[in-house]
């Protein structure tokens, strides 16, 4: 079933903004031009523009044509968990190289994050995440054994791990994110092509089921020249976490989501 007209128009304009076809500061096509392009009346066009204004992507008014204000795209919960889906929504090509996936006893940090006894088996995965073939993030993820064992039947280089786990019926309803900065270690340096000690944005994520059962813990390290994070809040709504690609593309999410 096709989406309503105003949603289709808004989606197309988001794509053009995120791809740089309509860069920050540029004017949005006029209502009359959009009406002609889509073969529709002004009503759906105005709804689409109002949606983009509410999202902070465009500004203007009072007789002035709307202009692009930001490239930070709204992102639903499930795509914040999924790096692949996020990059795709920005009109870019996601990629990944799985460097390690192994079953091993949980260490102290994983035990604390996942509520395990030291020595319980988990599945640990290390992947290099790419945007248009450019190294953007090193992902180190630990899954509880009943969930992680599913990945041994999956080609982790083929796409989103979280989408695959969701298809397998894994409940990924909740996530908590902690954002800080760390210096690149030797492994980060080699994988991301940056000097040892260079600053990286670190996102540590704990994902759990709706009932609060831990599912995974991840330590993701982003190149800050490519990706940034923003907290967007208001008195009317819960804070929303936005992940945005610097000089490439961006995204947003109501608390949650993973790769």
């Amino acid at each position: 079933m096709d989406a309503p007209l105003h949603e289709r128009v808004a989606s197309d304009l988001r794509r053009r903004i995120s791809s740089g076809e309509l860069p920050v500061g540029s004017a949005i096509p006029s209502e009359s031009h959009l009406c002609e392009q889509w073969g529709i009346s002004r009503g759906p066009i105005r709804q689409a523009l109002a949606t983009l204004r509410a999202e902070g992507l465009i500004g203007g008014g009072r007789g002035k044509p709307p202009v692009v204000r930001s490239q930070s795209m709204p992102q639903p919960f499930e795509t914040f968990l999924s790096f692949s889906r996020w990059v795709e929504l920005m009109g870019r090509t996601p990629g990944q190289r799985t460097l390690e996936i192994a079953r091993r006893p949980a260490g102290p940090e994983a035990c604390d994050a996942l509520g395990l006894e030291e020595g319980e088996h988990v599945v640990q995965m290390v992947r290099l995440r790419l945007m248009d073939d450019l190294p953007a993030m090193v992902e180190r993820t630990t899954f509880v054994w009943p969930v992680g064992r599913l990945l041994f039947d999956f080609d982790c280089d083929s796409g989103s791990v979280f989408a695959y786990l969701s298809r397998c019926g894994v409940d990924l309803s909740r996530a908590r994110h902690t954002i800080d900065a760390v210096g690149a270690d030797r492994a980060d340096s080699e994988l991301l092509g940056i000097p040892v000690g260079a600053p990286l944005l670190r996102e540590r994520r704990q994902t759990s089921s709706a009932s609060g059962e831990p599912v995974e813990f991840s330590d993701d390290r982003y190149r800050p020249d490519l990706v940034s994070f923003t907290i967007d809040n208001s008195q009317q709504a819960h804070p929303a976490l936005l992940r945005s690609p610097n000089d490439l593309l961006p995204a947003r999410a109501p608390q949650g989501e993973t790769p």
Side-chain angles (χ1 to χ4, degrees):
M1 183 175 175
D2 288 340
L5 278 172
H6 72 277
E7 290 184 10
R8 289 160 56 193
V9 174
S11 178
D12 182 64
L13 289 171
R14 287 192 199 98
R15 177 192 60 78
R16 295 170 68 183
I17 291 169
S18 69
S19 69
E21 181 183 339
L22 292 172
V24 172
S26 66
I28 295 294
S30 66
E31 288 184 10
S32 59
H33 179 88
L34 291 171
C35 288
E36 183 178 348
Q37 175 189 340
W38 288 87
I40 57 179
S41 66
R42 289 180 183 265
I45 299 298
R46 287 173 177 170
Q47 276 185 279
L49 296 177
T51 297
L52 298 184
R53 278 195 184 90
E55 293 170 356
L57 294 179
I58 66 173
R62 298 180 182 175
K64 297 180 180 179
V67 297
V68 178
R69 297 294 193 204
S70 170
Q71 285 188 306
S72 288
M73 299 295 161
Q75 182 186 7
F77 176 86
E78 62 277 12
T79 57
F80 195 82
L81 291 180
S82 173
F83 180 92
S84 298
R85 182 64 178 139
W86 172 64
V87 174
E88 288 170 352
L89 285 175
M90 297 305 99
R92 304 297 176 122
T93 302
Q96 50 273 319
R97 294 209 312 266
T98 301
L99 308 174
E100 179 186 47
I101 180 166
R103 177 179 183 261
R104 58 169 55 100
E109 186 177 23
C111 288
D112 290 343
L114 298 173
L116 302 176
E117 295 293 331
E118 192 161 351
E120 284 191 60
H121 280 97
V122 294
V123 173
Q124 293 185 325
M125 179 178 66
V126 179
R127 290 197 295 176
L128 178 65
R129 309 309 298 271
L130 311 171
M131 292 197 295
D132 291 342
D133 294 325
L134 186 66
M137 183 257 280
V138 178
E139 170 188 79
R140 297 176 175 91
T141 308
T142 301
F143 295 91
V144 296
W145 171 247
V147 172
R149 64 182 178 82
L150 299 171
L151 298 179
F152 292 114
D153 296 321
F154 177 65
D155 178 1
C156 295
D157 285 347
S158 66
S160 171
V161 163
F162 278 87
Y164 170 73
L165 293 176
S166 295
R167 292 195 298 271
C168 291
V170 177
D171 183 352
L172 303 166
S173 296
R174 301 170 60 185
R176 181 183 183 188
H177 306 266
T178 302
I179 312 293
D180 62 5
V182 294
D185 61 23
R186 189 165 299 280
D188 297 330
S189 167
E190 292 175 357
L191 292 170
L192 295 172
I194 57 176
V196 172
L200 293 173
L201 282 171
R202 178 173 65 173
E203 177 212 353
R204 285 174 291 174
R205 181 187 59 252
Q206 294 169 283
T207 306
S208 59
S209 67
S211 62
E213 289 294 314
V215 175
E216 64 94 38
F217 168 72
S218 191
D219 179 314
D220 298 342
R221 301 183 181 196
Y222 294 83
R223 282 179 49 176
D225 57 326
L226 299 182
V227 180
S228 62
F229 292 88
T230 302
I231 301 296
D232 195 13
N233 65 354
S234 72
Q235 290 183 331
Q236 289 74 37
H238 293 297
L241 179 62
L242 296 90
R243 172 176 52 189
S244 304
N246 300 335
D247 301 327
L248 285 177
L249 58 153
R252 156 187 162 176
Q255 292 196 346
E257 249 232 318
T258 137

